[in-house]
Amino acid sequence: MRHRLAAGNWKMHGLAADLAEIDALLAAHPAPACEVVVCPPATLLSRLAARLDRTPYMAGGQDCHAAPKGAHTGDIAAAMLADAGASFVILGPSERRADHGETSALVAAKARAARAAGLTPILCLGETEAERDAGRTLEVLSAQLAESLPDGSDAALVLAYEPVWAIGSGRTPTPAQIAEAHGHLRSQLARHLGAGPAQAVRLLYGGSVKPENAAAIFAVPEVDGALVGGASLKAAEFGAIIAALGAAA
Ligand code: PGA
């Protein structure tokens, strides 16, 4: 039985004052019926983690370096995220693949570093619109998964399917398209990890998840939760998504 997970990715949003949204979320949903992790910018991580102490909510980081430490100005090591209170880290989101040219091989190296620091990677993959239009979605997902998976992966891994064209666009795939992608990822995971471990990996959907579409997305087979960008910034919206996920459990 996989525990459902709602992951909020604040991306490059959030100043100290925005932690008031977390207080509002905790007040409105003190005991969610699913797991919830909030991934703020690194500057807010330790303050967020302090807010979440002794609550069921968890904190996560956004990205880490593949090396445990070193002369890498501006980068953050996985152990630093863990030290600041993170238990998860988002790796390989489309924005880092596009803005920073991250390859799946680098994502796998980062995932290894994350696991060595005791963090659970939330490994992101997804096709571009051109790849979908060319009928290459499943092939792209297979290749990204094969190249992004760290060695010895097991249940301590979360996968997030984020079609690039659905991120921040207000557009979402149909339930059938999500089911096809998630079913494919589950069967590919079984090839890489074996059937038992593959069943334990949670598959999140990401891309324009909103209160209005959450219940329909969570009803899709093999969807174990969501990676939420824009809608995770506001307590009312993220709270409604958390409630929908809890109700779907
Ligand atoms: P969005 O971001 O919810 O703002 O579309 C989702 C994502 O980056 O996966």
Side-chain angles (χ1 to χ4, degrees):
M1 181 60 190
R2 296 183 293 269
H3 291 294
R4 293 184 165 226
L5 173 67
N9 177 6
W10 280 19
K11 306 190 181 182
M12 201 172 72
H13 298 284
L15 300 175
D18 297 301
L19 292 172
E21 294 296 327
I22 295 299
D23 296 334
L25 187 65
L26 292 172
H29 302 274
C34 59
E35 287 185 19
V36 184
V37 55
V38 179
C39 304
T43 47
L44 289 181
L45 184 53
S46 57
R47 278 174 281 183
L48 174 81
R51 291 281 223 286
L52 301 182
D53 193 32
R54 284 190 285 277
T55 78
Y57 288 70
M58 297 172 286
Q62 302 174 21
D63 190 49
C64 66
H65 198 278
K69 60 183 168 187
H72 303 290
T73 303
D75 279 317
I76 298 178
M80 295 170 181
L81 295 176
D83 188 50
S87 38
F88 290 79
V89 60
I90 297 168
L91 295 176
S94 73
E95 291 132 7
R96 292 209 61 91
R97 291 177 188 261
D99 296 354
H100 299 272
E102 289 196 3
T103 61
S104 292
L106 179 60
V107 174
K110 290 182 172 194
R112 277 193 292 278
R115 291 163 55 104
L119 299 177
T120 300
I122 301 175
L123 215 150
C124 303
L125 34 75
E127 82 286 359
T128 63
E129 186 159 33
E131 288 164 343
R132 176 164 284 279
D133 289 347
R136 297 186 49 229
T137 297
L138 301 187
E139 168 198 332
V140 167
L141 296 181
S142 297
Q144 285 185 349
L145 180 66
E147 292 161 19
S148 307
L149 267 184
D151 312 324
S153 291
D154 53 24
L157 174 78
V158 174
L159 275 195
Y161 168 57
E162 357 162 79
V164 178
W165 51 275
I167 296 171
S169 66
R171 298 165 58 204
T172 53
T174 64
Q177 287 172 325
I178 297 174
E180 180 188 40
H182 281 228
H184 182 71
L185 287 170
R186 181 78 63 204
S187 67
Q188 291 296 304
L189 277 171
R191 279 191 48 208
H192 294 293
L193 309 181
Q199 282 302 320
V201 174
R202 288 174 291 182
L203 295 183
L204 310 185
Y205 168 77
S208 297
V209 178
K210 308 280 178 220
E212 300 74 41
N213 60 21
I217 290 170
F218 298 148
V220 175
E222 300 289 353
V223 172
D224 302 312
L227 179 57
V228 185
S232 73
L233 296 170
K234 292 287 167 215
E237 289 188 40
F238 197 40
I241 292 167
I242 289 167
L245 186 58

